[in-house]
Amino acid sequence: MTKVGGIKRTAVILTTVTLLMFGFGYALVPLYDVFCEVTGLNGKTGRISNAEASKLVVDNQRFITIQFDSNINGNLAWKLKADQNILKVNPGKFYVATYTVENMINEEIVGQAIPSVSPQIASLYFKKSDCFCFRNQVLKPGEKKKLTVRFEVDKDIPKDVESLTLSYTFFRALKDNKKAS
Amino acid sequence: MSSQTIADHDHHDHKPVGIKRWLFSTNHKDIGTMYLVFALIMFFIGGSMAMVIRAELFQPGLQFVDPQFYNSMVTVHALVMIFGAVMPAGVGLANWMIPIMIGAPDMALPRMNNMSFWILPFAFALLLGTLFIDGGGPAGGWTMYPPLVLQTGKAFPYLIFAVHFLGVSSIMGAINIIATVFNMRAPGMTLMRLPLFVWTWVITAFLLIASMPVLAGAVTMLLTDKYFGTSFFNAAGGGDPVLFQHIFWFFGHPEVYILILPAFGIISQIIPTFARKPLFGYASMVYATASIAILSFFVWAHHMFTVGLPITGELFFMYATMLIAVPTGVKVFNWVATMWKGAMTFEAPMLFAIAFVILFTIGGFSGLMLGITPVDFQYHDTYFVVAHFHYVLLTGAVFALMASAYYWLPKWTGYMYDEKLAKIHFWLSAIASNVLFFPQHFLGLAGMPRRIPDYSVQFADFNMISSLGGFAYGISQLLFVYIVIKCVLGGKKATSQVWEGARGLEWTLSSPPPFHSFTKPPKVTKALMDY
Amino acid sequence: MYLNEWMKNFLFKLVFVVSAFFFLSPDILHAEWGLNMTQGVTPISQDVYNMHMTTLYVVTVIGILVFGVMFWSIFHHRKSKGVKPSKFSHSTSVEVIWTLIPFIIIVSLAIPATKLLARMDDTSESSITVKATGYQWKWKYDYINEDVTIYSNMAEDSVEASQRNSGIDPKATDNYLRNTDTALVLPVGKKIRILTTANDVIHAWWVPDLGWKRDAIPGFINDNWTIINKEGVYRGQCAELCGKGHGYMPIVVKAVPEKEYTAWIEGTKLALKSKNASSDKDFTMDELRAKGEGVYKANCLACHQANGQGIKGVFPAIDGSPLANLKENIPAHIHQVIYGKGVMPAFGEQLSDTDIASVVTFVRNNWGNKTGHIIQPKDVVAARKK
């Protein structure tokens, strides 16, 4: 038996659900970020606030080896190199590592560094109080620059993690892209 | 009912004529027919792309097409087959059969029905048109992973808008189906008396409504990333290319069930008919279908085991994926139990249905193997995967569609099809498709990646066998077209019931059914479905 | 005749495959025809193979049982035999049983799979770290801590044979499409951590004999590990669609004893240092063109094509282009090869000054480009400084 009012209601409800699901697709973006922060998925590293930093306890017994790695994305005409290949660190203590970046061409370029830590699980415990990746980097034609990152490795890092790799990839920053095109 | 409509009914079956009948049609049967014809045309367009692929892979070395064009064949073949052939065929069947299976006069929203069909030709004109512009069609795979898809040239916006249109069309179809089933059932047609084809379609429609908008969102993000400076998937702006894969497969895994659930429904109609025995475990079939649908939203990352997920994530998605084998197994066991102690005959629909049960199960077996994460690191993105999804989609979904076509053709046209030719069509299809896809398991295990235009010589022999099977399969489908045309033009008159073992409302109507069916709702009793 | 030979082969294999089906034994399946997954050369690849075989056996047995019942029914319960159909339509106990049994089977498969996955995940205590970076369409390998970087392109004879209608028989080509100009050299018996990342789009690094593949994603590093037990050459290729050259980025791993590996690292360091030593030397046009042709094939041909015409709407033509013809564009031309432009990658890291000088000279004096311009390595040195 045809229920005319029912058809209208069903159609309205389902259309609403459709729109909500479209919104849900977009909601997945922030949800994913939260999920990554919790699980360490995608290897992005965390920040540490001053308040947290003051509460750190140093574990002098344990050493973790940090490997420093660098990449350039696409054909960005920069050279990026870590000034130290490895660093042995105590959990809970702050260290400063440096990179040298050089603009190889006759053009001002804005770049953005993206960090990645491997193994993934370690990224949860790798925390930075300051990093050149927190902001865009502008390099004048031919400019050479020292970049610093100040970090600590949390003492709760799982026992089987003896070494980790910290990698930075410089991308051409989006703002600069617009200017160029 | 007013006297006016009764008077109308007396004139009987007057319908609009000529092009207007089709262009402005709001009749569920006409729209169903258009969907089915459109799907068949797309099946041949997508199929001819598959022929190009198999011709290029016939021998090692590059003979016919350039790698870029090869990639766009791979991409467009998938899009055409999924969104142009299998989904519209399913919607076409739903349009034709659901109203007459539940005793309704038409679909709930007939004008929307017309619109949702006519969007399709435009969407595919956009998509297929890109093959002829500078830079060629989309070539980044139907999965459209960034950053690769962002390298697409002029075809890019056409691809995105085509996907949008296809999404809108299928969502409108889904809304219509749910509205029809929920509001237009004949008295006595309770939910647990619904034919399984209707049940599987209702569940499919919910899957569509829940997943297609997410795909629309994902491709919109691609569009704004490319042209409007957003960075959803651009690492430089704080985005993540892997995020796209998560969103895509959140849609993509339900999507594969959108393709296969109506097939489950079809098989559940056909096997009882030709076994002359009620479907075994009706209720568990409904629950199994529903649980497959729900689980499909929790397994998406099994398509992405190699992207580098945390081990807890990999374990979760492995367990959830393996769990799907349980309800799927229940369905297969129920079909076998339906045949058990029946009185079977083997007309073309039954042959296709039996082949479906076997070959779909083989595809399910390889699916279980693929679900095991540590081993998937070897299988992933090889021909083993290609073999797997063609077993479930071609010898699965498409075989079920072929079965349904033979099953209902006499009802649609009023004539019996040529059984002898149909059996030949079946045997050619069944043999050719196995020659085509079985060796691809070996190729994948031996290390041949998918989506490559040329391969190392150790893969030569199985590729040649596979290509020969492909050509044979392609040619034998022409026979299907001949059988359908022959049946439309005439033949032995079909009775209302058509098949001795057929039960249900659709078989109480004349063959073909009147233009307006069930203007007066029939009374549904348990006896109607009984054997 | 190729087809005749093939027919013989085909019949043989058909018989073989059918019999393999009936006597599913790992020995038959693992024969030299590449029917089955490789057992590989690492502890993990062996475990992966075993897990694969276990699952294959389980599903085969299930298949035989289910299809057996079905075919028994098909042969006996047919109308032509005059049977009357029974009317049963459900049985709760049977339905519960065939829900539970698959569940138990799945749990028993999931347990070993979980253990294996945990073993694969453990990259600790590795002695060497190598980073594989995917490029459209080649691999770069960095031996981290060693300051050694090598680029690995598809071997030149494969490039030539893989051109459309090249007329070269792939069978006559050494490891067609699976050979590189530079192999990744690794020591046997050591735990090696392999990081993967990419420069442009997503790639996937896969050598079947090592037992896994892993995506290479721009901006992210993934890690995996391996211990190669057996000396040898192991081949694989990119496994994630990465554009038109996806089928043409092979991976060759050469596993050697540790001593040989150390010697190779030292030798490569020296070779890298001397790469630009000849920068102040001048070459003749013929020398540059001859060398440039090889560089072109390995690095430029995939996009700009053998005829220098590119692909309309995707990759621009070099033949007849102002950049490769006008004298005032020579610095810009060299600059573009070194630093790239738009989708064109930068070659400055990978190619020596001599390589760049030769390839620029080559394209300026080939096809319809008849400029007569000669570019020397010192011009490239000058351009790098800009």
Side-chain angles (χ1 to χ4, degrees), chain C residues 179-202:
Chain C
N179 203 12
T180 56
D181 53 0
T182 327
L184 173 66
V185 178
L186 295 173
V188 292
K190 288 256 173 188
K191 185 158 180 180
I192 301 154
R193 187 160 160 254
I194 298 177
L195 303 174
T196 51
T197 186
N199 175 265
D200 31 46
V201 301
I202 301 173

mmCIF file of all heavy atoms in Angstrom, chain C residues 179-202:
data_model
loop_
_atom_site.group_PDB
_atom_site.id
_atom_site.type_symbol
_atom_site.label_atom_id
_atom_site.label_comp_id
_atom_site.label_asym_id
_atom_site.label_seq_id
_atom_site.Cartn_x
_atom_site.Cartn_y
_atom_site.Cartn_z
ATOM 1 N N ASN C 179 66.725 -5.195 -15.031
ATOM 2 C CA ASN C 179 68.154 -5.009 -14.895
ATOM 3 C C ASN C 179 68.426 -3.523 -14.751
ATOM 4 O O ASN C 179 67.750 -2.704 -15.367
ATOM 5 C CB ASN C 179 68.857 -5.568 -16.139
ATOM 6 C CG ASN C 179 70.290 -5.906 -15.849
ATOM 7 O OD1 ASN C 179 70.706 -5.936 -14.702
ATOM 8 N ND2 ASN C 179 71.054 -6.146 -16.900
ATOM 9 N N THR C 180 69.408 -3.180 -13.914
ATOM 10 C CA THR C 180 69.701 -1.765 -13.697
ATOM 11 C C THR C 180 71.145 -1.471 -14.071
ATOM 12 O O THR C 180 71.959 -2.380 -14.206
ATOM 13 C CB THR C 180 69.514 -1.380 -12.218
ATOM 14 O OG1 THR C 180 70.330 -2.234 -11.433
ATOM 15 C CG2 THR C 180 68.079 -1.531 -11.791
ATOM 16 N N ASP C 181 71.444 -0.178 -14.224
ATOM 17 C CA ASP C 181 72.846 0.184 -14.486
ATOM 18 C C ASP C 181 73.688 0.064 -13.211
ATOM 19 O O ASP C 181 74.855 -0.262 -13.276
ATOM 20 C CB ASP C 181 72.935 1.595 -15.101
ATOM 21 C CG ASP C 181 72.205 2.656 -14.281
ATOM 22 O OD1 ASP C 181 71.624 2.309 -13.233
ATOM 23 O OD2 ASP C 181 72.215 3.823 -14.701
ATOM 24 N N THR C 182 73.079 0.320 -12.044
ATOM 25 C CA THR C 182 73.790 0.199 -10.774
ATOM 26 C C THR C 182 72.945 -0.637 -9.823
ATOM 27 O O THR C 182 71.757 -0.345 -9.651
ATOM 28 C CB THR C 182 73.978 1.578 -10.105
ATOM 29 O OG1 THR C 182 74.130 2.560 -11.123
ATOM 30 C CG2 THR C 182 75.174 1.580 -9.196
ATOM 31 N N ALA C 183 73.543 -1.647 -9.220
ATOM 32 C CA ALA C 183 72.781 -2.484 -8.301
ATOM 33 C C ALA C 183 72.946 -1.964 -6.879
ATOM 34 O O ALA C 183 73.909 -1.273 -6.558
ATOM 35 C CB ALA C 183 73.255 -3.924 -8.394
ATOM 36 N N LEU C 184 71.967 -2.310 -6.041
ATOM 37 C CA LEU C 184 72.083 -2.033 -4.614
ATOM 38 C C LEU C 184 72.903 -3.175 -4.020
ATOM 39 O O LEU C 184 72.461 -4.321 -4.023
ATOM 40 C CB LEU C 184 70.695 -1.979 -3.985
ATOM 41 C CG LEU C 184 70.639 -1.855 -2.464
ATOM 42 C CD1 LEU C 184 71.197 -0.531 -2.003
ATOM 43 C CD2 LEU C 184 69.208 -2.013 -1.969
ATOM 44 N N VAL C 185 74.098 -2.868 -3.532
ATOM 45 C CA VAL C 185 74.970 -3.909 -2.995
ATOM 46 C C VAL C 185 74.770 -3.989 -1.486
ATOM 47 O O VAL C 185 74.811 -2.975 -0.796
ATOM 48 C CB VAL C 185 76.441 -3.603 -3.326
ATOM 49 C CG1 VAL C 185 77.358 -4.660 -2.728
ATOM 50 C CG2 VAL C 185 76.628 -3.531 -4.833
ATOM 51 N N LEU C 186 74.515 -5.200 -0.992
ATOM 52 C CA LEU C 186 74.280 -5.396 0.437
ATOM 53 C C LEU C 186 75.075 -6.606 0.921
ATOM 54 O O LEU C 186 75.291 -7.544 0.156
ATOM 55 C CB LEU C 186 72.787 -5.627 0.711
ATOM 56 C CG LEU C 186 71.835 -4.468 0.414
ATOM 57 C CD1 LEU C 186 70.397 -4.917 0.576
ATOM 58 C CD2 LEU C 186 72.128 -3.266 1.297
ATOM 59 N N PRO C 187 75.507 -6.596 2.179
ATOM 60 C CA PRO C 187 76.237 -7.742 2.695
ATOM 61 C C PRO C 187 75.282 -8.858 3.137
ATOM 62 O O PRO C 187 74.175 -8.575 3.576
ATOM 63 C CB PRO C 187 76.967 -7.163 3.915
ATOM 64 C CG PRO C 187 76.106 -6.051 4.371
ATOM 65 C CD PRO C 187 75.405 -5.500 3.162
ATOM 66 N N VAL C 188 75.729 -10.107 3.022
ATOM 67 C CA VAL C 188 74.897 -11.210 3.507
ATOM 68 C C VAL C 188 75.068 -11.350 5.016
ATOM 69 O O VAL C 188 76.078 -10.935 5.591
ATOM 70 C CB VAL C 188 75.247 -12.557 2.827
ATOM 71 C CG1 VAL C 188 74.855 -12.540 1.367
ATOM 72 C CG2 VAL C 188 76.709 -12.886 2.981
ATOM 73 N N GLY C 189 74.041 -11.930 5.642
ATOM 74 C CA GLY C 189 74.129 -12.291 7.052
ATOM 75 C C GLY C 189 74.048 -11.136 8.032
ATOM 76 O O GLY C 189 74.221 -11.328 9.228
ATOM 77 N N LYS C 190 73.775 -9.919 7.553
ATOM 78 C CA LYS C 190 73.684 -8.760 8.451
ATOM 79 C C LYS C 190 72.252 -8.270 8.478
ATOM 80 O O LYS C 190 71.550 -8.335 7.468
ATOM 81 C CB LYS C 190 74.569 -7.627 7.909
ATOM 82 C CG LYS C 190 76.045 -7.898 8.065
ATOM 83 C CD LYS C 190 76.541 -7.075 9.205
ATOM 84 C CE LYS C 190 77.985 -7.416 9.538
ATOM 85 N NZ LYS C 190 78.393 -6.755 10.763
ATOM 86 N N LYS C 191 71.841 -7.742 9.607
ATOM 87 C CA LYS C 191 70.506 -7.159 9.650
ATOM 88 C C LYS C 191 70.546 -5.764 9.028
ATOM 89 O O LYS C 191 71.272 -4.881 9.497
ATOM 90 C CB LYS C 191 69.989 -7.079 11.085
ATOM 91 C CG LYS C 191 68.551 -6.581 11.154
ATOM 92 C CD LYS C 191 67.867 -6.981 12.448
ATOM 93 C CE LYS C 191 66.436 -6.459 12.481
ATOM 94 N NZ LYS C 191 65.732 -6.826 13.710
ATOM 95 N N ILE C 192 69.799 -5.613 7.963
ATOM 96 C CA ILE C 192 69.819 -4.352 7.218
ATOM 97 C C ILE C 192 68.450 -3.698 7.331
ATOM 98 O O ILE C 192 67.426 -4.330 7.105
ATOM 99 C CB ILE C 192 70.137 -4.608 5.731
ATOM 100 C CG1 ILE C 192 71.492 -5.300 5.615
ATOM 101 C CG2 ILE C 192 70.131 -3.308 4.943
ATOM 102 C CD1 ILE C 192 71.615 -6.121 4.375
ATOM 103 N N ARG C 193 68.474 -2.421 7.704
ATOM 104 C CA ARG C 193 67.226 -1.687 7.793
ATOM 105 C C ARG C 193 67.063 -0.922 6.493
ATOM 106 O O ARG C 193 67.994 -0.243 6.048
ATOM 107 C CB ARG C 193 67.319 -0.737 8.981
ATOM 108 C CG ARG C 193 66.080 -0.015 9.324
ATOM 109 C CD ARG C 193 66.201 0.475 10.781
ATOM 110 N NE ARG C 193 65.277 1.554 11.002
ATOM 111 C CZ ARG C 193 65.650 2.829 11.100
ATOM 112 N NH1 ARG C 193 66.913 3.165 11.005
ATOM 113 N NH2 ARG C 193 64.738 3.762 11.293
ATOM 114 N N ILE C 194 65.916 -1.057 5.858
ATOM 115 C CA ILE C 194 65.697 -0.360 4.599
ATOM 116 C C ILE C 194 64.585 0.664 4.784
ATOM 117 O O ILE C 194 63.439 0.321 5.078
ATOM 118 C CB ILE C 194 65.354 -1.346 3.466
ATOM 119 C CG1 ILE C 194 66.540 -2.288 3.264
ATOM 120 C CG2 ILE C 194 65.037 -0.604 2.173
ATOM 121 C CD1 ILE C 194 66.321 -3.356 2.237
ATOM 122 N N LEU C 195 64.957 1.940 4.653
ATOM 123 C CA LEU C 195 63.964 3.011 4.741
ATOM 124 C C LEU C 195 63.456 3.284 3.334
ATOM 125 O O LEU C 195 64.210 3.197 2.369
ATOM 126 C CB LEU C 195 64.601 4.285 5.295
ATOM 127 C CG LEU C 195 65.288 4.201 6.654
ATOM 128 C CD1 LEU C 195 65.984 5.517 6.963
ATOM 129 C CD2 LEU C 195 64.263 3.893 7.724
ATOM 130 N N THR C 196 62.167 3.595 3.210
ATOM 131 C CA THR C 196 61.667 3.960 1.889
ATOM 132 C C THR C 196 61.002 5.331 1.954
ATOM 133 O O THR C 196 60.286 5.646 2.902
ATOM 134 C CB THR C 196 60.631 2.939 1.364
ATOM 135 O OG1 THR C 196 59.639 2.735 2.362
ATOM 136 C CG2 THR C 196 61.272 1.617 1.030
ATOM 137 N N THR C 197 61.256 6.118 0.942
ATOM 138 C CA THR C 197 60.569 7.398 0.789
ATOM 139 C C THR C 197 60.558 7.724 -0.696
ATOM 140 O O THR C 197 61.027 6.931 -1.501
ATOM 141 C CB THR C 197 61.247 8.506 1.619
ATOM 142 O OG1 THR C 197 60.462 9.700 1.536
ATOM 143 C CG2 THR C 197 62.645 8.802 1.121
ATOM 144 N N ALA C 198 59.955 8.857 -1.056
ATOM 145 C CA ALA C 198 59.872 9.191 -2.473
ATOM 146 C C ALA C 198 60.034 10.672 -2.677
ATOM 147 O O ALA C 198 59.847 11.468 -1.760
ATOM 148 C CB ALA C 198 58.541 8.722 -3.059
ATOM 149 N N ASN C 199 60.388 11.003 -3.914
ATOM 150 C CA ASN C 199 60.660 12.394 -4.239
ATOM 151 C C ASN C 199 59.440 13.094 -4.824
ATOM 152 O O ASN C 199 59.280 14.294 -4.686
ATOM 153 C CB ASN C 199 61.812 12.443 -5.247
ATOM 154 C CG ASN C 199 62.083 13.837 -5.740
ATOM 155 O OD1 ASN C 199 61.588 14.226 -6.783
ATOM 156 N ND2 ASN C 199 62.828 14.608 -4.973
ATOM 157 N N ASP C 200 58.556 12.355 -5.511
ATOM 158 C CA ASP C 200 57.493 13.011 -6.259
ATOM 159 C C ASP C 200 56.126 12.411 -5.978
ATOM 160 O O ASP C 200 55.266 13.052 -5.416
ATOM 161 C CB ASP C 200 57.814 12.971 -7.757
ATOM 162 C CG ASP C 200 58.613 11.726 -8.130
ATOM 163 O OD1 ASP C 200 58.233 10.633 -7.682
ATOM 164 O OD2 ASP C 200 59.622 11.841 -8.846
ATOM 165 N N VAL C 201 55.906 11.165 -6.401
ATOM 166 C CA VAL C 201 54.629 10.497 -6.144
ATOM 167 C C VAL C 201 54.921 9.233 -5.345
ATOM 168 O O VAL C 201 56.071 8.934 -5.045
ATOM 169 C CB VAL C 201 53.890 10.151 -7.461
ATOM 170 C CG1 VAL C 201 53.630 11.392 -8.267
ATOM 171 C CG2 VAL C 201 54.681 9.137 -8.277
ATOM 172 N N ILE C 202 53.862 8.489 -5.031
ATOM 173 C CA ILE C 202 54.063 7.280 -4.231
ATOM 174 C C ILE C 202 54.596 6.150 -5.103
ATOM 175 O O ILE C 202 54.092 5.906 -6.207
ATOM 176 C CB ILE C 202 52.743 6.867 -3.551
ATOM 177 C CG1 ILE C 202 52.247 7.995 -2.650
ATOM 178 C CG2 ILE C 202 52.928 5.584 -2.746
ATOM 179 C CD1 ILE C 202 50.879 7.766 -2.068
#
